[in-house]
Amino acid sequence: MDFIDEARIFLKAGGGGNGCCSFRREKYVPKGGPDGGDGGKGGDVIIRVDEQIRTLLDLSCHPHTKAKRGQHGQGKNRTGRSSQDRVILVPKGTLVKDRITGELLADMVNQGDSFVAARGGRGGRGNARFASSIMRTPRYCEEGEAGEEREFQLELKLLADVALVGFPNAGKSTIISCISKAKPKIAAYPFTTLSPNLGLVDWKGRDFVIADIPGIVEGAHEGSGLGLRFLRHIERTRIIVYVVDMSPDSMRDPREEFMIIRQELGSYSRGLLDHEQVCVLNKCDLDEARSSAREVAAFIRAKGLDVFEVSAITGEGLDLVLDEIIRLLP
């Protein structure tokens, strides 16, 4: 399934049914009074969270949703039937924004959360409603109100406890495949991961959700690389795990790599730097990497972070990282 985390949708609620203009026509009642019924209410369009939904793919492919209008009123004071509401299902973590103003209208994070996005029109009143001592035979009725027609921007922010962040090919996908049952694509070229991967980790009686965020590069907060498309998925996480490539084949010094990643997160949102943070020096099974890891770890510890030397390939050191994560999680 393709991972789609943005969608523009167009919603139209149902219009109300028209009121009826009618008079009693019965044997022996030659001048019956008005008996036109009211029109039914148009259906609302409701956005609702369903935990079985993981992506906005369906809404991206089918952006138009329209509810049915209410039935018209009928004679003998019969009210038209109201139309059923149309329900749109979205994943947890969906933001609903007004497409024109950008205003945030709903932040939907819990199973069953609902938001009435477009309200159906009220049904028109039948002529029986207008009868009075002055006007005994009203020959008019109301038309039903039109339903609301609105345009929204949906954005998905993943709900995960832990986010793995780092440059492309730092080993994030390998780590998440080792500690969870997630099976991301892994290869030795940049941007192997083109969408976030979620994995459920069960460690020492505690479980948490971890997200592998696609590679961040310099200038990501301005849209470089995969940039803004995935940085927002980090905002809801509780712990940020920096994954730094210690391989001698890396194009950057590990200290520079760490500082660039941290700067990009802070430039996107200062609040990200207030999250609990841990740093993982990956690929330390290589001799050259192991020899330089101590110096790099000292540099990062001076910034206030705990540092762990690991090898995602062999699994070495990952148990200590998991211990630290469950210690930090509330």
Side-chain angles (χ1 to χ4, degrees):
M1 178 187 293
D2 292 335
F3 182 85
I4 302 295
D5 58 356
E6 289 185 329
R8 183 192 302 183
I9 60 174
F10 307 85
L11 308 180
K12 182 173 175 56
N18 297 331
C20 176
C21 186
S22 172
F23 296 90
R24 290 177 62 191
R25 290 293 182 265
E26 300 176 17
K27 194 174 183 179
Y28 308 120
V29 187
K31 295 182 179 180
D35 68 349
D38 300 340
K41 178 184 174 298
D44 298 334
V45 182
I46 299 173
I47 300 174
R48 181 172 297 156
V49 172
D50 185 342
E51 60 186 6
Q52 301 300 319
I53 306 297
R54 300 296 183 189
T55 174
L56 297 175
L57 176 62
D58 286 347
L59 291 177
S60 177
C61 296
H62 305 94
H64 295 271
T65 300
K66 182 179 180 180
K68 294 182 178 180
R69 72 175 302 165
Q71 289 185 345
H72 301 316
Q74 301 178 46
K76 298 183 180 181
N77 290 310
R78 288 177 293 182
T79 300
R81 181 179 298 172
S82 295
S83 176
Q84 290 187 339
D85 298 332
R86 285 290 304 273
V87 178
I88 297 174
L89 300 180
V90 297
K92 288 182 178 181
T94 299
L95 301 178
V96 182
K97 296 182 178 181
D98 186 278
R99 181 70 180 85
I100 306 301
T101 66
E103 177 187 1
L104 177 61
L105 303 174
D107 188 358
M108 313 184 72
V109 298
N110 300 310
Q111 169 68 10
D113 280 357
S114 296
F115 171 67
V116 181
R119 297 186 180 276
R122 180 178 60 86
R125 291 177 292 179
N127 66 336
R129 293 289 195 120
F130 299 99
S132 66
S133 59
I134 299 174
M135 176 62 70
R136 302 190 126 195
T137 57
R139 298 182 179 276
Y140 52 86
C141 57
E142 285 183 336
E143 291 185 352
E145 290 182 349
E148 290 184 330
E149 189 170 355
R150 303 187 65 182
E151 185 177 351
F152 295 93
Q153 178 74 20
L154 302 184
E155 296 179 2
L156 175 60
K157 286 185 180 180
L158 292 178
L159 292 174
D161 300 300
V162 182
L164 298 177
V165 298
F167 271 75
N169 278 82
K172 303 182 299 300
S173 296
T174 307
I175 290 175
I176 198 174
S177 68
C178 288
I179 63 178
S180 74
K181 292 185 178 180
K183 299 300 179 186
K185 182 179 179 181
I186 300 172
Y189 56 84
F191 296 112
T192 308
T193 303
L194 298 177
S195 63
N197 293 303
L198 288 179
L200 179 62
V201 180
D202 185 0
W203 182 253
K204 295 184 178 179
R206 295 284 302 277
D207 56 74
F208 58 90
V209 177
I210 189 167
D212 165 20
I213 306 300
I216 296 172
V217 298
E218 191 168 6
H221 71 282
E222 297 175 339
S224 297
L226 299 177
L228 297 175
R229 183 178 176 192
F230 296 121
L231 275 172
R232 67 169 174 270
H233 292 301
I234 306 172
E235 290 186 288
R236 294 191 194 274
T237 59
R238 298 172 178 178
I239 301 174
I240 296 175
V241 177
Y242 297 88
V243 180
V244 177
D245 185 359
M246 292 297 298
S247 168
D249 297 330
S250 177
M251 298 177 62
R252 290 180 178 81
D253 181 275
R255 288 161 291 194
E256 178 190 3
E257 188 170 308
F258 167 76
M259 292 305 298
I260 290 174
I261 299 169
R262 201 175 192 195
Q263 181 179 349
E264 291 302 322
L265 297 186
S267 297
Y268 176 74
S269 172
R270 294 296 302 175
L272 291 180
L273 300 183
D274 295 330
H275 292 208
E276 297 284 0
Q277 299 179 61
V278 174
C279 185
V280 167
L281 305 182
N282 191 26
K283 305 181 184 179
C284 285
D285 54 308
L286 303 175
D287 292 336
E288 294 181 46
R290 195 182 300 275
S291 62
S292 61
R294 182 175 300 177
E295 184 179 348
V296 175
F299 172 82
I300 296 175
R301 287 193 180 100
K303 306 297 181 183
L305 278 71
D306 288 330
V307 182
F308 298 88
E309 300 175 19
V310 309
S311 169
I313 293 293
T314 65
E316 179 186 354
L318 291 178
D319 55 343
L320 299 178
V321 178
L322 294 174
D323 286 342
E324 179 66 8
I325 288 175
I326 61 174
R327 186 187 72 83
L328 293 175
L329 283 175

